[in-house]
């Protein structure tokens, strides 16, 4: 068995080359990343890292999961496991999501590593030696019920900002972005037990930001200009400075974190926002033992950092102050690229509330990763919040990717691939004197200017602008094809046609290069269709002369080169698919999970009923002629009513499930001493007021099953239309007595035998419950109906027939 090739050796800075160190905010490990997280940090940094590699720069991209702190402890409590187990679980989830999105890290590490402890301790000791740390007693909230000091995220209350007054955590208000201390919250509550904590004294260590202010301000003033900091980063930083710097507590009364190497504070850990940025350094240390060549050589290494706007103060104030305080020569951040928020349909993406499309959801849609990357990057919230909508995703895929980019490339390569006499038999034609062809010369001049603007935008980390420029080249390519009328030139002016097609093939290659940072799998496929190796062919550097070729795009691919087999690059996203996705990802993850659980339970019961062999039915019936002259052969009624204990029930009370938005909890009288508790997934279909005091069919001999914490002791039967978009309760006649048994029969499933209103009598229906699992209920030989008229029973609960 052949072994996999060893990984390439770690890259180190090269004297005389442009060495670029790229980081993105370390995603927190307590949840699955949503699309807003992905565009806000890892995807944006990946685009810039790929651009740097494309240009031939010596660049590395470092990232990893942020694993320490209260949020991890809280999640571990929720999932009843250890913080380490939570980190292992979600690190693997993050890693899988980013690989699917084609995020190419040089190292994707973790902060719960030995290197993290080592680097944190080294920095801490330097800060202590240089007297930038002070001890102080602070008041902190203590929960007597939980018998612990409450870290920031274990406290929830109301934001003290009078202009805000929103619900906030103890560390930061997500609404107004104010950084908080838990004691500042109005009406604070312990997140674990919901009781009101009390204030108690505790000793901690503080980083003296006021004493470091002069060093920090000098760094900010110089670097924000030289590094072209994004405007939102400058504004957030200046707002902090304007408020006045205060000593910042760097320790916490927790167990899960980097232990403080100080005898007095040995039972405490470092505050996650002190140690998390140090994770960039420690993950680099896990990438190479020579990490200091990247992190302690500011003259030869440029540091670019990517993040969302809520992370700015920690990277422009806290982390630089920490490094400056050590007195060592650190590679400080040169450029910071900050995104605003990507909102979802009508509201905000939220990890804590589970709202929006998450990384694993994107994969489940079967929409390719290059489409997701393209949409997120065209919608990148660089200067203001932007909005994700399914309709917009559809429009950009169908009009920009399919009809513009994909159409241009496919037209060019398909024509070249046509057999001789109709095309070029897959051989790129020669095109002497291409520069003398007026239309081609004009295209080359425009393309050259587009490339200059593309490079300028990308160097300034204006990623959305860079993508827009690359797509403009594709638009120009389509216009060039139309104006040249190459299909006519092929017969009327073969030399001119050869120029147009060789130039167009060059544009295809150019687009593959310029779009590789944004859609790498797309570029790989285009190069495959061009029959060019991505490893050997994909670059856009000064040294190799690719930039100069933009002035003569006909020179990119040599004459005589044989292309590969063309194929469509994008697939249309249809209206019905958009509707399906919008409905599927509406609401919160909890609601979607409840619906999925209810559907799964319904399917399970349907399968159990379908697979249950029932015996002892009535006599065989003879075939009867139907109005159309055809015969419906009825099967033996192979059912025993005793096997299914179905009764007429009366809903005495119905209310929403407290922990599942898609479920009702009903108290149903089925003729017993006490009503039965039944959980039904009908919220989406039937209003609560219509669930009160009405008769229903109840399958009673099911094994009780807990649904979101409430045990269901029976199953309500409902009917649905063919595509399950309409579901209604199956109602017995008003004359049916509560607790009375209901008989059942099946039907053949043939269109002419299906039950629709009163068009068929019961006798004409075949009894084949065991073969198709769909039930038709009847009461005293009168079929039950719903207002929809069609009575196919949809099972709504789970359990085994007992």
């Amino acid at each position: 068995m052949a072994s996999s090739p060893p990984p390439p050796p770690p890259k180190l800075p090269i004297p005389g080359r442009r060495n670029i160190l790229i980081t993105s905010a370390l995603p927190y490990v307590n949840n699955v990343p949503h699309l807003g997280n992905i565009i806000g940090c890892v995807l944006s940094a990946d685009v810039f890292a790929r651009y740097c590699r494309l240009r031939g720069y010596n660049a590395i991209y470092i990232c990893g999961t942020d694993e320490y702190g209260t949020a991890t402890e809280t999640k571990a409590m929720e999932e009843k496991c250890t913080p380490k187990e939570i980190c292992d679980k979600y690190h693997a989830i993050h890693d899988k999501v980013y690989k699917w999105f084609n995020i190419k890290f040089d190292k994707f590490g973790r902060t719960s590593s030995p290197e993290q402890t080592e680097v944190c301790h080294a920095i801490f000791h330097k800060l202590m030696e240089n007297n930038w740390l002070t001890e102080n007693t602070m008041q902190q909230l203590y929960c007597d019920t939980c018998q612990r000091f409450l870290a920031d995220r274990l406290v929830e209350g109301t934001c003290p900002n009078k202009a805000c007054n929103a619900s906030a955590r103890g560390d930061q208000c997500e609404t107004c972005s104010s950084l908080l201390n838990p004691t500042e919250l109005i009406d604070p509550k312990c997140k674990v037990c919901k009781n009101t904590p009390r204030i108690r004294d505790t000793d901690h260590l503080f980083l003296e930001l006021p004493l470091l202010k002069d060093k920090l301000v000098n760094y900010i003033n110089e670097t924000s200009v030289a590094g072209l900091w994004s405007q939102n980063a400058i504004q957030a930083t200046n707002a902090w400075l304007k408020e006045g710097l205060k000593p910042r507590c760097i320790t916490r009364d927790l167990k899960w974190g980097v232990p403080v190497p100080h005898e007095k504070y040995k039972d405490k850990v470092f505050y996650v926002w002190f140690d998390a940025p140090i994770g960039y350094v420690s993950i680099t240390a896990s990438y190479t033992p020579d990490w200091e060549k990247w992190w302690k050589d500011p003259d030869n290494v440029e540091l670019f950092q990517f993040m969302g706007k809520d992370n700015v103060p920690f990277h422009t104030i806290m982390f630089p102050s920490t490094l400056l305080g050590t007195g060592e020569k650190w590679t400080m951040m040169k450029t910071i690229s900050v995104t605003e928020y990507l909102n979802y349909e009508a509201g905000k993406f939220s990890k804590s509330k589970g709202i929006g499309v998450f990384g694993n959801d994107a994969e489940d849609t079967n929409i390719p990763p290059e489409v997701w990357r393209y949409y997120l990057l065209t919608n990148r919230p660089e200067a203001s919040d932007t909005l994700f909508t399914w309709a917009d995703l559809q429009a950009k895929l169908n009009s920009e990717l399919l009809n513009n980019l994909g159409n241009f490339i496919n037209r060019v390569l398909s024509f070249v691939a046509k057999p001789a006499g109709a095309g070029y038999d897959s051989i790129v034609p020669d095109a002497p004197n291409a520069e003398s062809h007026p239309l081609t010369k004009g295209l080359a001049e425009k393309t050259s200017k587009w490339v200059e603007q593309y490079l300028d935008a990308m160097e300034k980390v204006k990623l959305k602008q860079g993508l827009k420029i690359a797509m403009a080249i594709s638009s120009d390519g389509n216009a060039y094809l139309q104006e040249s009328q190459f299909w006519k030139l092929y017969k009327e002016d073969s030399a001119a046609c050869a120029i147009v097609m060789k130039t167009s093939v060059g544009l295809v290659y150019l687009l593959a290069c310029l779009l590789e940072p944004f859609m790498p799998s797309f570029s790989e496929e285009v190069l495959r269709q061009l029959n060019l190796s991505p490893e050997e062919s994909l670059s856009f550097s000064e040294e190799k002369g690719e930039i100069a070729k933009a002035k003569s795009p006909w020179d990119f691919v040599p004459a005589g080169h044989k292309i590969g087999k063309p194929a469509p690059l994008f697939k249309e996203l249809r209206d019905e698919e958009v509707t399906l996705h919008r409905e599927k990802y509406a609401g919160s993850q909890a609601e979607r999970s409840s619906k999925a659980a209810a559907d799964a339970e319904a399917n399970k019961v349907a399968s159990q009923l379908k697979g249950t062999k029932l015996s002892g039915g009535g006599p065989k019936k003879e075939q009867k002629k139907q109005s159309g002259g055809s015969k419906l052969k009825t099967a033996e009624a192979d059912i025993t009513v005793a096997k299914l204990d179905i009764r007429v029930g009366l809903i005495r009370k119905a209310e929403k499930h407290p922990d599942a938005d898609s479920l009702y909890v009903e108290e149903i009288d089925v003729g017993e001493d006490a009503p039965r508790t039944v959980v039904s997934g009908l919220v989406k279909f039937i209003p609560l007021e219509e669930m009160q005091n009405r008769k229903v069919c109840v399958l009673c001999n099911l094994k009780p099953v807990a649904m979101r914490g409430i045990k269901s002791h029976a199953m309500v039967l409902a009917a649905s239309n063919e595509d399950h978009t309409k579901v209604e309760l199956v109602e017995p006649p008003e004359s049916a007595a509560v607790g009375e048994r209901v008989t059942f029969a099946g039907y053949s499933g043939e269109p002419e035998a299906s039950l629709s209103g009163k068009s068929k009598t019961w006798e004409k229906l075949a009894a084949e419950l065991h073969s198709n699992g769909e039930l038709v209920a009847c009461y005293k030989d009168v079929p039950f109906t719903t207002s929809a008229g069609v009575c196919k029973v949809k099972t709504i609960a789970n359990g085994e027939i007992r």
Side-chain angles (χ1 to χ4, degrees):
M1 182 176 175
S3 59
S4 57
K11 288 183 276 189
L12 295 174
I14 301 170
R17 291 278 297 280
R18 190 173 179 194
N19 301 297
I20 298 180
L21 173 58
I22 301 163
T23 71
S24 62
L26 306 182
Y28 207 79
V29 79
N30 70 328
N31 217 321
V32 181
H34 57 60
L35 297 183
N37 303 136
I38 291 168
I39 186 59
C41 53
V42 294
L43 177 55
S44 295
D46 179 66
V47 171
F48 186 69
R50 287 178 177 276
Y51 166 77
C52 290
R53 298 182 195 114
L54 188 72
R55 294 298 312 280
Y57 304 152
N58 184 43
I60 62 169
Y61 177 18
I62 299 296
C63 192
T65 41
D66 178 9
E67 302 194 351
Y68 284 135
T70 320
T72 306
E73 285 195 0
T74 306
K75 192 71 173 180
M77 281 188 264
E78 288 176 10
E79 299 198 10
K80 296 179 175 57
C81 61
T82 67
K84 175 68 165 58
E85 288 170 334
I86 282 291
C87 293
D88 290 344
K89 171 184 173 179
Y90 282 100
H91 175 83
I93 290 172
H94 277 256
D95 188 46
K96 182 176 183 290
V97 166
Y98 301 142
K99 282 177 178 172
W100 186 82
F101 272 93
N102 288 319
I103 310 292
K104 188 178 180 181
F105 306 105
D106 288 275
K107 178 66 179 182
F108 185 70
R110 312 174 64 168
T111 59
S112 61
S113 66
E115 291 87 355
Q116 176 77 351
T117 301
E118 184 181 336
V119 177
C120 277
H121 284 183
I123 289 174
F124 170 77
H125 288 308
K126 283 290 183 182
L127 292 172
M128 285 290 286
E129 288 172 20
N130 296 335
N131 297 315
W132 297 117
L133 298 180
T134 56
E135 300 179 65
N136 209 337
T137 300
M138 65 182 289
Q139 292 185 320
Q140 193 171 338
L141 294 177
Y142 185 88
C143 180
D144 289 303
T145 306
C146 298
Q147 294 189 322
R148 64 187 292 179
F149 282 104
L150 298 181
D152 305 348
R153 287 179 176 240
L154 284 178
V155 186
E156 293 178 336
T158 303
C159 176
N161 184 348
K162 291 182 180 179
C164 177
N165 281 133
S167 176
R169 296 193 312 252
D171 61 342
Q172 188 172 22
C173 175
E174 289 187 352
T175 303
C176 68
S177 297
S178 295
L179 295 177
L180 305 171
N181 286 316
T183 52
E184 297 173 331
L185 289 175
I186 299 169
D187 192 24
K189 299 291 182 186
C190 171
K191 189 174 180 180
V192 178
C193 69
K194 308 303 180 186
N195 289 324
T196 301
R198 64 184 173 91
I199 295 176
R200 181 173 155 182
D201 289 346
T202 178
D203 293 337
H204 283 287
L205 288 164
F206 290 75
L207 178 63
E208 286 292 340
L209 291 179
L211 301 180
L212 286 160
K213 183 179 178 181
D214 290 343
K215 291 176 181 289
L216 178 66
V217 169
N218 286 338
Y219 158 73
I220 291 170
N221 289 341
E222 290 177 8
T223 312
S224 60
V225 176
L228 300 172
W229 287 13
S230 56
Q231 197 57 41
N232 46 10
I234 294 172
Q235 290 170 352
T237 303
N238 288 339
W240 254 56
L241 294 174
K242 187 176 180 180
E243 282 184 17
L245 297 179
K246 300 172 185 176
R248 188 73 178 172
C249 184
I250 65 166
T251 53
R252 287 293 186 271
D253 290 292
L254 293 172
K255 299 297 182 187
W256 182 244
V258 176
V260 180
H262 187 292
E263 184 60 29
K264 182 177 177 181
Y265 299 98
K266 62 183 180 181
D267 292 331
K268 301 179 191 287
V269 300
F270 285 119
Y271 174 40
V272 68
W273 270 118
F274 173 78
D275 89 88
I278 295 173
Y280 303 129
V281 183
S282 72
I283 293 170
T284 311
S286 68
Y287 169 65
T288 172
D290 295 320
W291 62 270
E292 290 187 348
K293 292 182 179 180
W294 283 106
W295 280 100
K296 293 188 177 180
D297 191 2
D299 296 330
N300 293 306
V301 176
E302 303 169 57
L303 174 58
F304 286 72
Q305 297 197 296
F306 291 78
M307 68 203 65
K309 64 181 177 182
D310 51 340
N311 286 337
V312 170
F314 303 106
H315 291 79
T316 62
I317 303 286
M318 286 286 293
F319 189 42
S321 296
T322 299
L323 298 181
L324 290 167
T326 65
E328 297 177 310
K329 197 176 180 182
W330 286 92
T331 300
M332 305 286 285
M333 177 180 64
K334 175 189 174 184
T335 298
I336 181 171
S337 180
V338 176
T339 56
E340 302 289 313
Y341 291 134
L342 175 70
N343 293 321
Y344 179 68
E345 292 281 343
K348 281 188 174 182
F349 277 94
S350 172
K351 281 199 300 182
S352 58
K353 297 176 183 176
I355 294 172
V357 179
F358 287 71
N360 46 358
D361 296 331
E363 183 175 0
D364 292 341
T365 63
N366 291 321
I367 298 171
E370 62 263 31
V371 174
W372 281 111
R373 286 178 64 113
Y374 177 80
Y375 180 71
L376 291 173
L377 289 158
T378 58
N379 222 13
R380 187 174 185 250
E382 293 182 351
S384 61
D385 292 356
T386 58
L387 185 65
F388 171 98
T389 69
W390 287 102
D392 191 36
L393 171 66
Q394 178 191 28
K396 284 186 166 59
L397 166 55
N398 293 348
S399 64
E400 297 174 17
L401 291 179
L402 181 62
N403 295 335
N404 174 8
L405 181 64
N407 178 61
F408 170 69
I409 293 172
N410 196 252
R411 286 181 78 188
V412 172
L413 300 186
S414 295
F415 190 78
V416 173
K418 285 182 178 180
Y424 295 94
D425 201 20
S426 299
I427 305 298
V428 177
D430 196 7
N433 303 316
E435 65 279 0
S436 64
H437 185 254
L439 189 62
T440 301
K441 183 180 179 183
L443 175 74
E445 289 171 354
K446 287 180 70 175
T447 300
S448 180
K449 289 178 182 177
W450 281 131
V451 168
E452 287 178 13
Q453 292 177 32
Y454 171 89
L455 296 174
D456 181 65
M458 297 300 285
E459 291 292 333
K460 293 176 180 175
V461 201
K462 294 182 178 179
L463 307 182
K464 185 157 64 173
Q465 185 179 341
L467 178 54
K468 186 177 180 181
I469 291 166
M471 292 297 288
I473 294 175
S474 175
S475 298
D476 285 350
N478 273 312
Y480 174 65
L481 290 179
Q482 284 302 108
E483 194 171 350
S484 69
Q485 296 189 331
F486 64 93
W487 58 94
K488 288 185 179 179
L489 286 180
Y490 184 77
K491 295 179 179 178
E492 298 171 3
D493 189 344
S494 59
C497 187
I499 289 172
V500 170
M501 297 318 297
K502 191 169 190 286
T503 302
S504 297
V505 171
L507 280 189
V508 170
Y509 171 79
L510 177 63
L511 286 167
C513 289
L514 300 186
L515 289 171
E516 193 278 341
F518 303 95
M519 297 184 289
S521 54
F522 155 82
S523 293
E524 187 175 324
E525 174 59 19
V526 171
L527 290 176
R528 188 195 66 75
Q529 293 186 26
L530 283 169
N531 194 26
L532 295 170
S533 164
E535 294 78 17
E536 297 173 7
S537 304
L538 197 62
S539 69
F540 204 68
S541 67
E542 299 273 9
E543 295 173 12
K544 295 186 178 181
E546 278 95 350
I547 296 173
K549 285 182 182 177
K551 296 178 180 178
S552 52
W554 49 84
D555 286 336
F556 275 119
V557 181
H561 175 78
K562 186 172 184 178
I563 69 168
K565 184 179 180 181
L569 292 160
F570 300 102
K571 180 184 175 184
E572 181 185 13
L573 186 60
R574 301 190 305 273
D575 290 343
E576 54 268 30
E577 293 174 289
V578 170
T579 300
L580 182 67
H581 293 320
R582 186 184 292 113
E583 290 176 356
K584 183 175 181 179
Y585 298 108
S588 69
Q589 283 182 312
E591 291 169 338
R592 301 200 293 257
S593 177
S594 295
K595 182 180 181 300
D599 288 346
E601 287 158 354
N603 291 336
K604 183 177 178 181
V605 174
S607 297
Q608 288 171 340
L609 290 174
K610 183 176 180 179
T612 302
K613 178 85 172 180
L614 307 176
S615 60
K620 292 182 180 180
K621 294 189 176 183
E622 295 182 5
Q623 298 175 356
K624 293 186 178 182
K625 287 190 176 183
Q626 300 195 21
S627 57
S630 63
K631 294 180 179 180
L632 173 65
K633 184 177 180 180
T634 57
E636 181 178 355
D638 191 23
I639 56 176
T640 297
V641 174
K643 196 76 175 180
L644 300 177
D645 181 9
I646 301 170
R647 307 178 203 170
V648 175
L650 178 66
I651 301 177
R652 298 289 187 188
K653 177 184 176 184
E655 58 189 9
K656 289 275 193 75
H657 193 301
D659 295 318
D661 293 340
S662 64
L663 301 178
Y664 283 132
V665 179
E666 305 114 20
E667 298 296 327
I668 303 180
D669 182 357
V670 292
E672 298 172 336
D673 292 340
R676 293 199 186 197
T677 299
V678 180
V679 181
S680 305
L682 294 166
V683 171
K684 182 179 176 182
F685 305 103
I686 301 174
L688 182 60
E689 59 270 18
E690 293 182 17
M691 292 290 292
Q692 312 293 339
N693 297 310
R694 66 185 292 179
K695 288 180 180 178
V696 289
C697 296
V698 185
L699 178 56
C700 294
N701 59 330
L702 290 176
K703 181 179 179 181
V705 174
M707 296 177 70
R708 303 287 288 183
I710 295 180
K711 192 165 284 189
S712 183
H713 295 270
M715 177 180 76
V716 172
L717 299 183
S720 73
N721 57 0
E722 291 289 345
D723 60 3
H724 303 295
T725 57
K726 188 176 182 66
V727 174
E728 296 182 351
L729 293 174
V730 178
E731 293 186 308
E734 276 300 316
S735 59
V738 172
E740 192 169 358
R741 292 286 297 277
V742 178
T743 60
F744 263 74
Y747 62 93
S748 69
E750 297 177 26
E752 64 267 27
S754 64
L755 180 65
S756 179
K758 298 180 180 178
S759 62
K760 299 292 177 187
T761 62
W762 181 246
E763 287 75 22
K764 290 182 180 178
L765 299 173
E768 294 186 354
L769 167 62
H770 60 280
S771 66
N772 62 30
E774 290 182 326
L775 305 177
V776 173
C778 71
Y779 173 75
K780 295 182 179 178
D781 292 337
V782 178
F784 294 165
T785 61
T786 68
S787 60
V790 178
C791 189
K792 287 187 178 180
V793 172
K794 176 184 175 72
T795 53
I796 302 295
N798 189 15
E800 301 173 6
I801 299 294
R802 295 186 299 179

